[in-house]
Amino acid sequence: MENIKAYVQQHKDRFINELIELLKIPSVSADTAYSQDVIDTAEAVKESLTKAGCDLVEICDTPGYPIIYGEKIIDPNLPTVLVYGHYDVQPPDPMELWTSPPFEPVIKTTEIHPEGAIFARGACDDKGQMYMHVKALELMVQTNTLPCNVKFMIEGEEEVGSASLAWFVERNQAKLKNDVILISDTGMISNQQPSITTGLRGLSYVEVEVTGPNRDLHSGLYGGAVANPINILAKMIASLHDEDNHITIPGFYDKVQELSAEERAEMAKAPFSLEKYKKALDLNDVYGEKGYVTNERNSIRPTLDVNGIWGGYQGEGAKTVIASKAFAKISMRLVPNQDWEEITELFSKHFVSIAPAGVTVKVTPHHGGQGYVTPIDSIGYKAANMAYTETFGIPAIPVRSGGSIPIVALFEKELKSKTILMGFGLDSDAIHSPNEHFGIFNFLKGIETIPLFYKYFVELSK
């Protein structure tokens, strides 16, 4: 452990500067205007893996953005850890809410990060957390402490559904063979209390389109005589929840697994202040499904949310029209046992069925993924807990995340491997939002902790 800390302290300024250079490249996979930047980032990741000590690094073509594959095989008879991460980032919008430009990284101190945090799009999700693994490999190679084989698979489409990743994994199962998969694309409770994410929600993401008249109409001449698609869409969306915020789609809850009172009690041990939660979000109260507390609503229960809604005139001033069309984007977070394709079909049938006469409805599925649960009695979980315990001084708490990483279920299906989610971000790091950031403490602590996972995983595997 002392050798690890000494190496990190000696090289920490370089580690931070390297990450800052990576964050300067605007690798926004959702916008084709950034296509070359995404490619440039793939090249930068390849170079960093080569310098860190991988014996083989490849930029692998896919139907979409490339996947970087790297490996350091020291003995085929030893266990192999497969590290997954992504180099693409979310769009930075809305730009006006950033306190500093999203692709001009700066270090600022905050109440939570008195030692400083790097503010930039992708700082926490996932360039900063992915780069911890690259530097952890460098540390183990340079100190001659790498105890097993390691492989890297870093993709460029996570923020748009990872379609090419599924294509790649299905075609490269032998190359990707491993004993455990290690991912840092989640968070932990606090800088004082580490946690390991043991559950992820699945996802179904759709876009809906409601069409009325064949053109925009004068609201004075036609108002009240024809169906207004925006009014209709609002009513349809409102009907998707009842007065208890229970989702009304028939069959939606059929496969939802209810956790036992004992499991819910274990979850409740995680430190949580409802007042601090509300204060951090400037809320006067929380909102959600009746019968569940906040930390259950955002982790073990399925949800349905409108992510965007538009139609009609949205410019300055007034324009009295009845729009021909109205649109919305809707996401459903799912719990293990709910199949995302089945839920997408249930939603589509239901949404079309509740449309009144006078409009037509089109539902376009975008992407989705299955939920996932990691058993806490697995070797991988135990190794991660031992690593956290050594670097933080206290054991990690198992938690279920409200987020979705659809590729985790894909990995288990195709590679027959369990995934360990060792996140070092915090809820306050504003991922997907303006002013995303990642604490210097968290970045360096990750580089310290990851090598210990390798150590304990090998020891427990004997």
Side-chain angles (χ1 to χ4, degrees):
M1 182 62 188
E2 292 307 314
N3 288 340
I4 293 174
K5 285 187 174 181
Y7 191 90
V8 171
Q9 284 301 309
Q10 181 182 353
H11 298 279
K12 66 179 182 178
D13 290 340
R14 175 172 60 85
F15 292 168
I16 294 167
N17 289 333
E18 288 175 4
L19 175 57
I20 285 173
E21 290 303 309
L22 188 64
L23 291 168
K24 288 180 180 179
I25 313 174
S27 51
V28 180
S29 55
D31 189 340
T32 55
Y34 295 93
S35 294
Q36 187 57 51
D37 297 299
V38 179
I39 298 299
D40 291 345
T41 308
E43 291 284 353
V45 173
K46 177 188 177 184
E47 182 179 356
S48 70
L49 284 171
T50 301
K51 289 182 177 179
C54 282
D55 295 324
L56 170 66
V57 185
E58 303 171 325
I59 291 185
C60 304
D61 291 333
T62 75
Y65 286 118
I67 288 172
I68 299 94
Y69 172 81
E71 66 178 31
K72 179 77 173 178
I73 307 298
I74 61 173
D75 184 343
N77 295 316
L78 288 172
T80 297
V81 176
L82 174 62
V83 176
Y84 164 86
H86 64 92
Y87 62 86
D88 64 321
V89 302
Q90 281 275 318
D93 310 81
M95 298 289 288
E96 67 274 10
L97 296 183
W98 285 81
T99 56
S100 56
F103 297 108
E104 297 178 19
V106 294
I107 297 176
K108 308 174 189 178
T109 59
T110 71
E111 182 179 352
I112 294 176
H113 298 292
E115 74 297 322
I118 303 174
F119 281 70
R121 172 57 85 228
C124 180
D125 182 20
D126 180 47
K127 286 180 178 176
Q129 299 212 68
M130 175 269 290
Y131 206 63
M132 296 183 310
H133 291 271
V134 178
K135 295 295 96 178
L137 173 66
E138 176 195 312
L139 184 156
M140 290 184 286
V141 170
Q142 292 300 318
T143 59
N144 197 31
T145 56
L146 179 64
C148 63
N149 308 309
V150 58
K151 299 177 180 179
F152 288 84
M153 178 171 57
I154 314 298
E155 67 151 323
E157 295 180 354
E158 195 274 346
E159 301 294 4
V160 290
S162 298
S164 296
L165 183 70
W167 180 92
F168 181 79
V169 170
E170 290 167 3
R171 289 161 176 77
N172 291 276
Q173 294 187 7
K175 173 184 282 192
L176 300 172
K177 186 178 180 182
N178 64 84
D179 295 282
V180 69
I181 298 171
L182 189 59
I183 300 177
S184 295
D185 197 13
T186 52
M188 59 183 184
I189 292 172
S190 71
N191 285 353
Q192 296 73 43
Q193 176 60 67
S195 56
I196 302 171
T197 301
T198 57
L200 296 164
R201 290 193 289 190
L203 175 68
S204 169
Y205 195 100
V206 301
E207 182 172 327
V208 299
E209 175 183 327
V210 177
T211 302
N214 60 7
R215 64 186 188 278
D216 288 359
L217 302 177
H218 188 293
S219 65
L221 298 178
Y222 292 93
V226 299
N228 183 324
I230 299 176
N231 293 354
I232 297 299
L233 177 59
K235 289 181 179 180
M236 293 172 69
I237 289 172
S239 75
L240 296 175
H241 292 88
D242 63 19
E243 63 276 7
D244 293 327
N245 291 312
H246 195 266
I247 297 165
T248 58
I249 299 169
F252 187 86
Y253 291 95
D254 285 357
K255 295 182 180 179
V256 171
Q257 181 182 14
E258 295 286 346
L259 268 65
S260 66
E262 291 76 17
E263 288 176 285
R264 291 174 71 177
E266 282 298 310
M267 286 183 57
K269 292 179 180 179
F272 177 74
S273 167
L274 184 59
E275 290 308 311
K276 289 182 179 179
Y277 183 86
K278 292 189 292 185
K279 182 179 179 181
L281 299 173
D282 288 332
L283 298 174
N284 59 18
D285 205 356
V286 290
Y287 186 85
E289 185 181 2
K290 186 177 180 180
Y292 297 89
V293 298
T294 298
N295 279 349
E296 294 175 329
R297 291 168 177 166
N298 63 18
S299 62
I300 64 170
R301 298 299 295 168
T303 61
L304 184 153
D305 286 291
V306 177
N307 303 124
I309 186 167
W310 69 98
Y313 181 66
Q314 297 174 52
E316 186 176 351
K319 183 181 181 184
T320 52
V321 294
I322 294 173
S324 172
K325 293 178 179 289
F327 305 85
K329 294 182 187 289
I330 296 172
S331 66
M332 290 161 281
R333 298 287 176 170
L334 312 175
V335 295
N337 294 347
Q338 284 185 298
D339 180 85
W340 77 269
E341 292 177 320
E342 181 181 346
I343 293 297
T344 301
E345 184 177 354
L346 289 174
F347 173 89
S348 300
K349 288 181 178 179
H350 176 68
F351 205 71
V352 170
S353 74
I354 62 175
V359 299
T360 57
V361 173
K362 178 183 177 183
V363 179
T364 303
H366 278 291
H367 61 269
Q370 310 294 66
Y372 181 80
V373 174
T374 298
I376 62 175
D377 59 353
S378 68
I379 291 175
Y381 179 88
K382 291 177 181 178
N385 190 29
M386 292 168 73
Y388 277 116
T389 301
E390 185 162 342
T391 54
F392 283 84
I394 57 173
I397 292 176
V399 299
R400 291 207 185 188
S401 170
S404 303
I405 310 179
I407 49 87
V408 173
L410 167 73
F411 290 159
E412 180 158 18
K413 176 185 176 184
E414 297 294 339
L415 302 178
K416 316 303 181 190
S417 300
K418 288 295 182 183
T419 294
I420 303 302
L421 297 161
M422 291 184 67
F424 291 85
L426 302 178
D427 285 345
S428 57
D429 287 345
I431 64 171
H432 291 211
S433 301
N435 303 311
E436 178 182 350
H437 55 281
F438 190 38
I440 299 296
F441 169 88
N442 305 71
F443 177 56
L444 298 178
K445 186 64 76 171
I447 300 172
E448 287 183 11
T449 307
I450 290 165
L452 294 171
F453 170 83
Y454 285 74
K455 172 189 173 183
Y456 291 123
F457 184 76
V458 172
E459 289 179 2
L460 293 172
S461 298
K462 292 179 180 178

